[in-house]
Amino acid sequence: MNIPQGFPLRPIESKRVWNKQSDLGNIVHEFSGETQKEVVTYIKGQVHQGPLTREEIESVKYDIEKLPKLTREINQVRSEVDIGRGFVVFPSWGDLNVHESRIASWLVDNAFGEAREQDDKGSRLIEIFNVSDNLSMKTGARYHVTREGSSPHTDAVQRPNDPDYLCLRCVSDALMGGENILVSADSIYNKLLENAPALITTLTNDFFFHLRGVEKIEEKEYFPAPIISIDNEGIRLRFLDHYIREGHKLAGKPMTYGQEKAIQYLNSLFEQSDLQFRARLEPGQQVVFANKRMLHARTEFVDRNPAREFYDPSQLENLETANRLMDRTWSYKRVA
Protein backbone atom coordinates (compact mmCIF):
# COMPACT_ATOMS: atom_id res chain seq x y z
CA MET A 1 0.00 0.00 0.00
CA ASN A 2 1.75 3.14 -1.26
CA ILE A 3 0.42 5.86 1.08
CA PRO A 4 2.20 9.25 0.97
CA GLN A 5 4.61 9.91 3.82
CA GLY A 6 3.01 11.44 6.90
CA PHE A 7 -0.49 10.12 6.18
CA PRO A 8 -2.12 7.47 8.44
CA LEU A 9 -1.58 3.89 7.38
CA ARG A 10 -4.39 2.65 9.60
CA PRO A 11 -7.98 3.87 10.03
CA ILE A 12 -8.24 7.12 11.97
CA GLU A 13 -9.92 6.91 15.36
CA SER A 14 -11.44 10.26 16.26
CA LYS A 15 -14.72 11.97 17.09
CA ARG A 16 -14.89 13.03 13.43
CA VAL A 17 -15.26 9.45 12.23
CA TRP A 18 -19.03 9.18 11.85
CA ASN A 19 -21.27 6.34 10.81
CA LYS A 20 -24.94 5.64 11.19
CA GLN A 21 -24.35 4.06 14.62
CA SER A 22 -22.46 7.08 15.97
CA ASP A 23 -23.90 8.95 18.91
CA LEU A 24 -23.99 12.57 17.80
CA GLY A 25 -26.03 13.68 20.77
CA ASN A 26 -25.20 16.78 22.77
CA ILE A 27 -24.23 18.70 19.65
CA VAL A 28 -26.12 21.78 20.83
CA HIS A 29 -24.24 24.14 23.11
CA GLU A 30 -26.51 26.41 25.13
CA PHE A 31 -24.79 29.52 26.43
CA SER A 32 -24.85 30.14 30.15
CA GLY A 33 -27.32 32.62 31.57
CA GLU A 34 -24.49 35.04 32.39
CA THR A 35 -23.14 34.94 28.84
CA GLN A 36 -26.60 35.44 27.35
CA LYS A 37 -27.21 38.43 29.61
CA GLU A 38 -23.84 39.94 28.64
CA VAL A 39 -24.55 39.57 24.92
CA VAL A 40 -28.12 40.89 25.19
CA THR A 41 -26.98 43.96 27.13
CA TYR A 42 -24.17 44.63 24.65
CA ILE A 43 -26.47 44.38 21.61
CA LYS A 44 -29.24 46.52 23.11
CA GLY A 45 -26.70 49.32 23.48
CA GLN A 46 -25.48 49.04 19.90
CA VAL A 47 -28.44 49.15 17.53
CA HIS A 48 -31.84 50.70 16.97
CA GLN A 49 -35.14 48.87 17.18
CA GLY A 50 -36.63 47.34 14.04
CA PRO A 51 -35.29 45.65 10.90
CA LEU A 52 -31.53 45.75 10.38
CA THR A 53 -29.67 45.68 7.09
CA ARG A 54 -26.67 43.43 6.49
CA GLU A 55 -24.43 46.51 6.68
CA GLU A 56 -25.86 47.48 10.07
CA ILE A 57 -25.23 43.99 11.43
CA GLU A 58 -21.65 44.04 10.11
CA SER A 59 -21.05 47.42 11.74
CA VAL A 60 -21.38 45.94 15.24
CA LYS A 61 -17.86 45.26 16.45
CA TYR A 62 -16.82 42.29 18.52
CA ASP A 63 -15.29 43.94 21.60
CA ILE A 64 -13.36 41.32 23.55
CA GLU A 65 -13.07 43.60 26.58
CA LYS A 66 -16.84 44.09 26.80
CA LEU A 67 -17.68 40.47 25.95
CA PRO A 68 -15.35 38.46 28.23
CA LYS A 69 -17.94 35.82 29.11
CA LEU A 70 -18.81 35.15 25.47
CA THR A 71 -15.11 34.99 24.61
CA ARG A 72 -14.37 32.57 27.42
CA GLU A 73 -17.28 30.29 26.54
CA ILE A 74 -16.39 30.19 22.83
CA ASN A 75 -12.81 29.29 23.74
CA GLN A 76 -14.14 26.43 25.86
CA VAL A 77 -16.22 24.99 23.00
CA ARG A 78 -13.64 25.69 20.29
CA SER A 79 -11.79 22.39 20.84
CA GLU A 80 -14.96 20.50 19.91
CA VAL A 81 -14.82 22.18 16.52
CA ASP A 82 -11.02 22.09 16.04
CA ILE A 83 -10.18 18.57 17.21
CA GLY A 84 -13.51 17.10 18.36
CA ARG A 85 -16.45 16.13 16.17
CA GLY A 86 -15.81 19.18 14.00
CA PHE A 87 -18.92 21.25 14.55
CA VAL A 88 -21.24 22.72 17.15
CA VAL A 89 -24.84 23.97 16.99
CA PHE A 90 -26.02 26.97 18.97
CA PRO A 91 -29.73 27.44 19.79
CA SER A 92 -31.77 30.57 19.28
CA TRP A 93 -31.19 33.52 21.60
CA GLY A 94 -33.73 34.47 24.23
CA ASP A 95 -34.62 38.10 25.01
CA LEU A 96 -33.62 39.21 21.48
CA ASN A 97 -35.85 39.76 18.48
CA VAL A 98 -34.99 38.18 15.15
CA HIS A 99 -32.95 41.18 14.00
CA GLU A 100 -30.96 41.51 17.22
CA SER A 101 -30.32 37.77 17.35
CA ARG A 102 -28.63 37.96 13.94
CA ILE A 103 -26.11 40.27 15.64
CA ALA A 104 -25.64 37.73 18.44
CA SER A 105 -24.67 35.11 15.87
CA TRP A 106 -22.40 37.61 14.14
CA LEU A 107 -20.62 38.16 17.46
CA VAL A 108 -20.23 34.39 17.88
CA ASP A 109 -18.67 34.21 14.40
CA ASN A 110 -16.17 36.89 15.36
CA ALA A 111 -15.43 35.27 18.70
CA PHE A 112 -14.37 32.13 16.82
CA GLY A 113 -12.09 34.12 14.53
CA GLU A 114 -11.60 37.14 12.31
CA ALA A 115 -14.50 37.51 9.87
CA ARG A 116 -13.06 38.37 6.46
CA GLU A 117 -14.39 39.57 3.13
CA GLN A 118 -16.26 37.12 0.94
CA ASP A 119 -16.77 39.13 -2.24
CA ASP A 120 -15.42 42.08 -4.20
CA LYS A 121 -17.79 44.41 -2.34
CA GLY A 122 -16.03 43.71 0.94
CA SER A 123 -19.00 41.88 2.49
CA ARG A 124 -18.02 39.93 5.58
CA LEU A 125 -21.56 38.69 6.16
CA ILE A 126 -23.28 37.08 3.17
CA GLU A 127 -27.05 36.67 3.05
CA ILE A 128 -27.93 33.38 1.34
CA PHE A 129 -31.33 33.36 -0.32
CA ASN A 130 -32.96 32.61 -3.67
CA VAL A 131 -32.56 35.69 -5.85
CA SER A 132 -34.34 34.32 -8.94
CA ASP A 133 -35.83 31.03 -10.09
CA ASN A 134 -34.18 31.69 -13.45
CA LEU A 135 -30.64 31.46 -12.04
CA SER A 136 -28.76 28.17 -12.04
CA MET A 137 -25.30 26.89 -11.21
CA LYS A 138 -25.39 25.21 -14.64
CA THR A 139 -25.35 28.65 -16.26
CA GLY A 140 -22.64 30.09 -14.01
CA ALA A 141 -24.59 31.40 -11.00
CA ARG A 142 -23.19 30.95 -7.48
CA TYR A 143 -25.28 28.41 -5.61
CA HIS A 144 -26.01 30.78 -2.72
CA VAL A 145 -28.21 32.96 -4.98
CA THR A 146 -30.28 30.00 -6.18
CA ARG A 147 -32.60 27.50 -4.51
CA GLU A 148 -30.73 24.56 -5.97
CA GLY A 149 -29.04 21.86 -3.98
CA SER A 150 -25.27 22.15 -3.98
CA SER A 151 -22.60 19.57 -4.71
CA PRO A 152 -20.23 18.56 -1.87
CA HIS A 153 -17.60 21.19 -1.18
CA THR A 154 -15.53 23.14 1.30
CA ASP A 155 -16.05 26.89 1.27
CA ALA A 156 -13.69 29.39 -0.40
CA VAL A 157 -11.76 26.79 -2.42
CA GLN A 158 -10.97 29.62 -4.84
CA ARG A 159 -8.85 31.31 -2.17
CA PRO A 160 -5.37 29.95 -1.43
CA ASN A 161 -5.96 30.96 2.21
CA ASP A 162 -9.32 29.33 2.88
CA PRO A 163 -11.23 30.01 6.13
CA ASP A 164 -10.89 27.90 9.26
CA TYR A 165 -14.54 28.18 10.24
CA LEU A 166 -17.77 28.29 8.30
CA CYS A 167 -20.56 29.89 10.32
CA LEU A 168 -24.17 29.48 9.18
CA ARG A 169 -27.23 30.90 10.91
CA CYS A 170 -30.77 30.04 9.88
CA VAL A 171 -32.65 33.34 10.00
CA SER A 172 -35.78 32.07 8.28
CA ASP A 173 -36.52 28.57 7.03
CA ALA A 174 -37.85 27.44 3.65
CA LEU A 175 -41.30 26.01 3.13
CA MET A 176 -39.66 22.73 2.18
CA GLY A 177 -36.09 21.43 1.76
CA GLY A 178 -32.82 23.22 2.43
CA GLU A 179 -31.42 20.49 4.64
CA ASN A 180 -27.72 20.78 5.46
CA ILE A 181 -25.42 17.77 4.95
CA LEU A 182 -21.98 17.27 6.52
CA VAL A 183 -19.41 14.53 5.90
CA SER A 184 -16.09 14.59 7.74
CA ALA A 185 -12.61 14.34 6.26
CA ASP A 186 -11.66 11.57 8.68
CA SER A 187 -14.57 9.38 7.58
CA ILE A 188 -13.71 9.99 3.94
CA TYR A 189 -10.05 9.14 4.50
CA ASN A 190 -10.92 5.88 6.25
CA LYS A 191 -13.16 4.83 3.38
CA LEU A 192 -10.41 5.61 0.89
CA LEU A 193 -7.92 3.65 2.98
CA GLU A 194 -10.28 0.67 3.13
CA ASN A 195 -11.53 0.56 -0.46
CA ALA A 196 -9.33 2.69 -2.74
CA PRO A 197 -5.95 3.45 -1.12
CA ALA A 198 -4.34 4.17 -4.50
CA LEU A 199 -6.59 7.22 -4.86
CA ILE A 200 -5.08 8.80 -1.73
CA THR A 201 -1.85 9.49 -3.61
CA THR A 202 -3.78 11.05 -6.47
CA LEU A 203 -5.83 13.27 -4.14
CA THR A 204 -2.74 14.43 -2.22
CA ASN A 205 -1.10 15.62 -5.44
CA ASP A 206 -1.93 19.03 -6.91
CA PHE A 207 -5.10 19.84 -8.82
CA PHE A 208 -5.84 23.25 -10.34
CA PHE A 209 -8.44 25.48 -8.66
CA HIS A 210 -10.17 28.38 -10.37
CA LEU A 211 -9.45 31.77 -8.76
CA ARG A 212 -13.06 32.76 -9.26
CA GLY A 213 -13.69 36.29 -8.07
CA VAL A 214 -10.20 36.45 -6.56
CA GLU A 215 -7.23 38.49 -7.76
CA LYS A 216 -4.99 36.66 -10.22
CA ILE A 217 -1.74 35.10 -9.00
CA GLU A 218 1.18 35.89 -11.32
CA GLU A 219 -1.32 36.72 -14.08
CA LYS A 220 -2.95 33.31 -13.73
CA GLU A 221 -6.62 32.62 -12.97
CA TYR A 222 -5.89 29.34 -11.22
CA PHE A 223 -3.56 27.91 -8.60
CA PRO A 224 -2.35 24.42 -7.67
CA ALA A 225 -3.33 22.68 -4.43
CA PRO A 226 -4.10 19.15 -3.25
CA ILE A 227 -7.65 18.04 -2.46
CA ILE A 228 -6.47 16.10 0.60
CA SER A 229 -3.59 17.22 2.79
CA ILE A 230 -2.59 16.90 6.44
CA ASP A 231 -1.60 19.40 9.13
CA ASN A 232 -1.24 19.45 12.91
CA GLU A 233 -5.02 19.12 13.35
CA GLY A 234 -5.35 16.14 11.03
CA ILE A 235 -6.72 15.44 7.57
CA ARG A 236 -7.94 18.51 5.69
CA LEU A 237 -9.91 18.99 2.49
CA ARG A 238 -10.19 21.52 -0.32
CA PHE A 239 -12.87 20.47 -2.79
CA LEU A 240 -15.48 21.81 -5.18
CA ASP A 241 -15.87 19.75 -8.34
CA HIS A 242 -16.83 22.62 -10.68
CA TYR A 243 -14.03 24.95 -9.56
CA ILE A 244 -11.46 22.21 -10.08
CA ARG A 245 -12.71 21.48 -13.59
CA GLU A 246 -12.64 25.19 -14.43
CA GLY A 247 -9.12 25.47 -13.02
CA HIS A 248 -7.84 22.64 -15.20
CA LYS A 249 -9.55 24.16 -18.24
CA LEU A 250 -7.89 27.54 -17.61
CA ALA A 251 -4.53 25.86 -17.05
CA GLY A 252 -4.88 24.01 -20.33
CA LYS A 253 -4.22 20.74 -18.54
CA PRO A 254 -7.14 18.30 -18.73
CA MET A 255 -7.54 16.03 -15.74
CA THR A 256 -6.01 12.60 -16.06
CA TYR A 257 -8.10 9.44 -15.86
CA GLY A 258 -6.82 8.94 -12.31
CA GLN A 259 -7.80 12.47 -11.25
CA GLU A 260 -11.26 12.10 -12.76
CA LYS A 261 -11.74 8.77 -10.99
CA ALA A 262 -10.62 10.26 -7.67
CA ILE A 263 -13.11 13.15 -7.92
CA GLN A 264 -15.95 10.83 -8.86
CA TYR A 265 -15.08 8.60 -5.92
CA LEU A 266 -15.17 11.55 -3.50
CA ASN A 267 -18.59 12.58 -4.82
CA SER A 268 -19.88 9.03 -4.37
CA LEU A 269 -18.53 8.82 -0.81
CA PHE A 270 -20.40 12.00 0.05
CA GLU A 271 -23.66 10.37 -1.04
CA GLN A 272 -23.28 7.45 1.37
CA SER A 273 -25.94 8.01 4.01
CA ASP A 274 -23.99 6.22 6.75
CA LEU A 275 -21.28 8.92 6.57
CA GLN A 276 -23.64 11.88 6.65
CA PHE A 277 -24.84 14.18 9.37
CA ARG A 278 -28.05 15.84 8.20
CA ALA A 279 -29.88 18.69 9.87
CA ARG A 280 -32.43 21.21 8.83
CA LEU A 281 -31.63 24.17 11.04
CA GLU A 282 -34.59 25.87 12.65
CA PRO A 283 -34.93 29.67 12.65
CA GLY A 284 -32.51 31.11 15.19
CA GLN A 285 -30.17 28.12 15.20
CA GLN A 286 -26.55 28.47 14.15
CA VAL A 287 -23.91 25.93 13.20
CA VAL A 288 -20.16 26.55 13.25
CA PHE A 289 -17.91 23.91 11.75
CA ALA A 290 -14.31 23.33 10.76
CA ASN A 291 -14.39 24.28 7.10
CA LYS A 292 -11.14 22.46 6.26
CA ARG A 293 -12.32 19.23 7.93
CA MET A 294 -15.75 18.81 6.31
CA LEU A 295 -17.50 18.48 3.01
CA HIS A 296 -20.92 20.06 3.11
CA ALA A 297 -23.89 20.66 0.84
CA ARG A 298 -27.57 21.46 1.03
CA THR A 299 -30.67 20.02 -0.56
CA GLU A 300 -32.89 21.99 -2.95
CA PHE A 301 -35.54 24.12 -1.28
CA VAL A 302 -38.89 25.73 -2.03
CA ASP A 303 -39.84 29.17 -0.67
CA ARG A 304 -43.20 30.46 0.45
CA ASN A 305 -43.13 33.52 -1.80
CA PRO A 306 -41.73 34.50 -5.21
CA ALA A 307 -37.97 35.11 -5.33
CA ARG A 308 -36.67 38.65 -4.93
CA GLU A 309 -33.41 40.23 -6.02
CA PHE A 310 -32.98 41.81 -2.59
CA TYR A 311 -34.02 40.36 0.75
CA ASP A 312 -36.15 42.87 2.62
CA PRO A 313 -35.39 42.39 6.34
CA SER A 314 -38.88 43.68 7.22
CA GLN A 315 -40.35 40.36 6.03
CA LEU A 316 -38.64 38.76 9.02
CA GLU A 317 -41.26 40.37 11.26
CA ASN A 318 -43.36 37.28 10.47
CA LEU A 319 -41.22 34.18 10.02
CA GLU A 320 -44.30 32.15 9.09
CA THR A 321 -44.48 34.00 5.77
CA ALA A 322 -40.80 34.84 5.15
CA ASN A 323 -38.58 33.29 2.49
CA ARG A 324 -35.51 31.26 3.43
CA LEU A 325 -32.55 33.33 4.64
CA MET A 326 -29.19 32.11 5.95
CA ASP A 327 -26.36 34.30 7.25
CA ARG A 328 -22.86 33.07 6.30
CA THR A 329 -19.51 34.15 7.71
CA TRP A 330 -15.96 32.98 6.95
CA SER A 331 -13.85 33.17 10.09
CA TYR A 332 -10.08 32.83 10.40
CA LYS A 333 -8.19 31.92 13.54
CA ARG A 334 -6.47 34.89 15.12
CA VAL A 335 -2.74 34.65 15.50
CA ALA A 336 -1.73 35.18 19.12
Side-chain angles (χ1 to χ4, degrees):
M1 187 164 54
N2 188 22
I3 302 299
Q5 186 175 2
F7 284 82
L9 301 178
R10 296 183 179 181
I12 298 169
E13 296 182 7
S14 74
K15 288 186 177 181
R16 286 200 294 261
V17 179
W18 306 329
N19 56 53
K20 58 185 177 182
Q21 276 83 39
S22 297
D23 179 11
L24 288 177
N26 300 318
I27 61 172
V28 177
H29 177 85
E30 183 138 12
F31 287 110
S32 68
E34 288 186 347
T35 295
Q36 291 187 53
K37 183 177 179 181
E38 175 186 82
V39 172
V40 169
T41 301
Y42 183 77
I43 290 173
K44 295 288 187 181
Q46 294 283 324
V47 296
H48 61 76
Q49 292 293 314
L52 299 170
T53 65
R54 178 189 62 78
E55 291 83 1
E56 288 175 316
I57 295 171
E58 274 192 9
S59 71
V60 179
K61 295 182 179 180
Y62 163 65
D63 190 329
I64 190 171
E65 293 184 358
K66 295 182 179 179
L67 294 167
K69 295 181 175 63
L70 174 64
T71 302
R72 183 164 53 250
E73 202 157 339
I74 291 297
N75 286 336
Q76 290 170 350
V77 79
R78 184 189 303 278
S79 62
E80 189 62 53
V81 180
D82 287 347
I83 57 175
R85 68 167 59 90
F87 70 96
V88 64
V89 176
F90 297 104
S92 56
W93 290 81
D95 298 323
L96 292 174
N97 63 38
V98 63
H99 310 292
E100 295 166 334
S101 63
R102 293 177 72 187
I103 296 177
S105 293
W106 165 249
L107 293 173
V108 168
D109 300 345
N110 282 271
F112 265 96
E114 179 189 353
R116 296 187 187 172
E117 299 173 356
Q118 299 184 49
D119 59 21
D120 56 6
K121 299 177 182 177
S123 307
R124 291 176 295 146
L125 177 70
I126 293 292
E127 296 176 320
I128 300 176
F129 62 95
N130 183 28
V131 171
S132 169
D133 290 331
N134 297 321
L135 293 176
S136 171
M137 288 181 286
K138 296 177 181 178
T139 57
R142 301 282 293 274
Y143 90 91
H144 71 260
V145 299
T146 76
R147 63 179 187 84
E148 295 176 324
S150 59
S151 59
H153 63 285
T154 57
D155 262 34
V157 298
Q158 73 274 27
R159 296 177 177 230
N161 183 19
D162 47 345
D164 297 299
Y165 304 110
L166 175 59
C167 314
L168 290 172
R169 172 193 167 83
C170 177
V171 184
S172 178
D173 202 4
L175 176 64
M176 182 181 297
E179 189 176 38
N180 293 286
I181 308 169
L182 296 177
V183 176
S184 82
D186 288 3
S187 296
I188 288 171
Y189 186 85
N190 284 354
K191 284 292 185 181
L192 285 165
L193 199 60
E194 177 185 1
N195 300 317
L199 296 182
I200 294 176
T201 298
T202 302
L203 291 165
T204 56
N205 288 328
D206 282 343
F207 287 71
F208 292 108
F209 289 79
H210 184 194
L211 284 163
R212 187 170 182 175
V214 180
E215 187 177 348
K216 294 180 181 180
I217 299 176
E218 297 179 351
E219 301 303 315
K220 296 177 180 178
E221 296 181 75
Y222 58 88
F223 69 98
I227 290 176
I228 292 181
S229 57
I230 192 167
D231 59 24
N232 59 1
E233 292 179 7
I235 300 296
R236 64 153 293 175
L237 297 169
R238 180 192 293 272
F239 183 70
L240 201 168
D241 191 326
H242 177 65
Y243 280 33
I244 294 171
R245 296 183 187 281
E246 285 297 308
H248 277 264
K249 187 183 298 183
L250 289 166
K253 296 182 179 180
M255 285 193 295
T256 65
Y257 171 77
Q259 288 176 319
E260 182 69 48
K261 182 179 179 181
I263 282 183
Q264 290 177 359
Y265 197 84
L266 270 188
N267 283 323
S268 68
L269 281 179
F270 186 82
E271 295 300 326
Q272 292 188 19
S273 60
D274 65 327
L275 299 183
Q276 297 178 346
F277 172 78
R278 284 175 169 254
R280 185 178 174 186
L281 293 177
E282 298 177 359
Q285 289 186 325
Q286 176 187 18
V287 61
V288 176
F289 62 85
N291 179 56
K292 300 175 182 179
R293 318 292 165 188
M294 309 277 169
L295 289 181
H296 69 278
R298 71 157 188 238
T299 61
E300 186 174 350
F301 65 89
V302 177
D303 269 326
R304 296 174 175 80
N305 309 298
R308 298 179 180 179
E309 184 178 357
F310 300 100
Y311 199 102
D312 181 359
S314 66
Q315 70 174 285
L316 297 174
E317 295 296 316
N318 184 356
L319 294 182
E320 296 297 322
T321 61
N323 281 354
R324 184 180 190 269
L325 176 64
M326 303 284 287
D327 286 341
R328 183 186 75 190
T329 304
W330 290 343
S331 294
Y332 292 75
K333 293 179 181 179
R334 292 182 175 88
V335 179

